[in-house]
Amino acid sequence: MTGTVHNTEGRGYLATFVGKNGRFAVLRVHPHGLVTVDLQSCEGEDQSQVKDLLNALEEKMKVLLHSNIKRTKRLPALLRGAEVDRYWPTADGRLVEYDIDQVVYEQDSPYQNIKILHSQQFGNILILNGDVNLAESDLPYTRAIMGSGKEDYSGKEVLILGGGDGGILCEAVKLKPKMVTMVEISFIQSMVIDGCRQHLRGTCGDVLDRLKGDCYEVLVEDCVPVLKKFAEEGKMFDYVINDLTAVPISTAPEEDSMWEFLRLILDLSIKVLQPSGKYFTQGNCANLTEALSLYEEQLGRLCCPVEFSKEVVCVPSYMELYPFGGKRSERREEGT
């Protein structure tokens, strides 16, 4: 390989190397002693040869540095530009490589990109705007946001906000409720429903085949005016399950609108919740402690006092712990 040494203005040592077969390498020696070597090779190259090259390089470095190496670490190769993208970030910004082998569905709406990808471990995975939403393996998510099996839904009125993957609706109708009303965020989510109906059957079963059943109805319209209408009409629910969006990860100005939306949904949901009713929602990655604390602060600013509790669940396809919360209204009814 042909090498070129670059001027780093006293900030260590930097060299690049180019080979005739398309290989490209970057060698960096940092002032504090860290030595990094990044090797790029082209698709179709014999990976056993690449492995042999790295082994030889590691042994050569030990000789050159007189075995004065505290530790070495070799990272797996990143595959760039592949037809199927295997790399997706966690909520707290860590990069995860999934065993994804197929794109089974992809659509672009005016507001979001919708993908359903197949994973060998997790089944089909719904990804919205680059965020892993739910996989067919993720029943723990659905159980947690419904109260982890501790609630009695029989004969109850249930309102689901969001939930276009159909997982919550599918599990709720099994529990013999009086009625389940599911309201999506806008007509755009009909594209999510269509995709999940076809390719996320392990999550939604056949419940999305019809938008209306014996004990459920799916309203594909904006949930905010629907909630306001329910409040004006005095329609009340025993359970409200909010699956619209996770807690925003910061209070940065660009996320102000998300916090405002979250507070609006919280206030409207409390207004349609029975005095003894319960409100369930997702949180965000357990590592995002500041965001979760900020959300808890919002609960003290609602139109009435509430009690709340939370639990942390491992959602398989998220590869991280995720908190879920439940709130019980403490409103007192006036009059006779």
Side-chain angles (χ1 to χ4, degrees):
M1 301 179 77
T2 303
T4 302
V5 178
H6 302 270
N7 181 12
T8 63
E9 299 181 349
R11 296 182 178 88
Y13 177 87
L14 174 65
T16 54
F17 301 86
V18 180
K20 294 180 180 179
N21 57 1
R23 288 178 184 162
F24 177 78
V26 179
L27 169 65
R28 186 74 189 256
V29 182
H30 298 263
H32 63 282
L34 174 65
V35 179
T36 60
V37 179
D38 297 316
L39 176 65
Q40 297 182 16
S41 59
C42 297
E43 185 179 8
E45 185 168 356
D46 188 340
Q47 292 304 303
S48 64
Q49 291 184 7
V50 174
K51 184 178 180 180
D52 290 342
L53 174 62
L54 292 173
N55 288 337
L57 175 61
E58 192 170 320
E59 291 303 316
K60 184 66 173 179
M61 289 176 66
K62 290 178 181 178
V63 173
L64 291 172
L65 297 172
H66 308 292
S67 297
N68 188 27
I69 299 175
K70 292 184 178 179
R71 64 180 183 272
T72 61
K73 176 75 173 180
R74 188 183 302 180
L75 300 176
L78 292 175
L79 184 62
R80 297 175 176 173
E83 183 177 346
V84 179
D85 191 353
R86 301 165 64 106
Y87 305 100
W88 300 96
T90 59
D92 59 349
R94 292 173 291 112
L95 186 63
V96 174
E97 179 177 5
Y98 287 83
D99 57 348
I100 291 170
D101 56 14
Q102 184 183 2
V103 178
V104 297
Y105 179 86
E106 182 168 13
Q107 292 288 332
D108 281 303
S109 77
Y111 301 102
Q112 63 186 182
N113 173 262
I114 305 161
K115 286 186 178 73
I116 298 178
L117 310 178
H118 178 261
S119 159
Q120 298 172 56
Q121 292 184 81
F122 306 122
N124 287 345
I125 305 176
L126 173 65
I127 297 178
L128 300 179
N129 279 351
D131 289 331
V132 174
N133 269 240
L134 198 74
E136 291 178 305
S137 63
D138 294 345
L139 183 59
Y141 175 102
T142 304
R143 285 181 55 82
I145 204 170
M146 293 180 65
S148 295
K150 302 171 186 175
E151 302 299 322
D152 180 11
Y153 284 87
S154 60
K156 303 294 175 56
E157 289 276 355
V158 182
L159 176 62
I160 302 172
L161 305 177
D165 52 73
I168 299 171
L169 179 61
C170 180
E171 295 304 312
V173 298
K174 297 176 184 177
L175 303 177
K176 301 180 179 179
K178 180 179 179 181
M179 188 65 185
V180 180
T181 304
M182 181 173 120
V183 188
E184 260 301 355
I185 193 168
S186 74
F187 74 93
I188 297 301
Q189 290 301 98
S190 65
M191 299 173 69
V192 175
I193 292 174
D194 289 342
C196 294
R197 180 191 298 123
Q198 300 174 59
H199 304 292
L200 219 67
R201 305 287 288 192
T203 294
C204 66
D206 60 2
V207 77
L208 294 180
D209 291 350
R210 297 179 299 158
L211 296 184
K212 190 171 185 178
D214 294 337
C215 64
Y216 73 89
E217 182 176 12
V218 179
L219 305 178
V220 186
E221 50 188 295
D222 193 331
C223 69
V224 172
V226 171
L227 280 170
K228 290 180 177 178
K229 178 173 177 287
F230 286 163
E232 291 170 359
E233 295 174 346
K235 184 172 179 59
M236 306 295 282
F237 296 88
D238 300 291
Y239 292 96
V240 176
I241 303 173
N242 178 5
D243 194 33
L244 289 170
T245 179
V247 173
I249 64 173
S250 76
T251 56
E254 59 267 24
E255 292 192 342
D256 280 351
S257 60
M258 185 62 75
W259 279 108
E260 287 299 324
F261 176 72
L262 186 148
R263 283 190 286 266
L264 174 63
I265 295 299
L266 270 170
D267 271 324
L268 290 174
S269 297
I270 294 298
K271 290 177 181 177
V272 300
L273 194 61
Q274 294 281 10
S276 60
K278 292 185 179 180
Y279 173 96
F280 291 111
T281 190
Q282 58 173 306
N284 209 316
C285 167
N287 287 341
L288 297 172
T289 54
E290 182 181 1
L292 296 171
S293 295
L294 289 169
Y295 178 75
E296 291 180 13
E297 288 178 12
Q298 308 305 315
L299 303 181
R301 303 174 183 175
L302 295 176
C303 58
C304 69
V306 296
E307 294 178 350
F308 73 90
S309 62
K310 57 187 176 183
E311 66 172 321
V312 177
V313 173
C314 182
V315 181
S317 75
Y318 290 10
M319 300 192 192
E320 58 187 339
L321 297 178
Y322 225 71
F324 293 80
K327 288 167 273 294
R328 185 169 65 85
S329 170
E330 293 185 347
R331 286 180 292 115
R332 299 289 184 266
E333 291 186 342
E334 302 294 335
T336 58

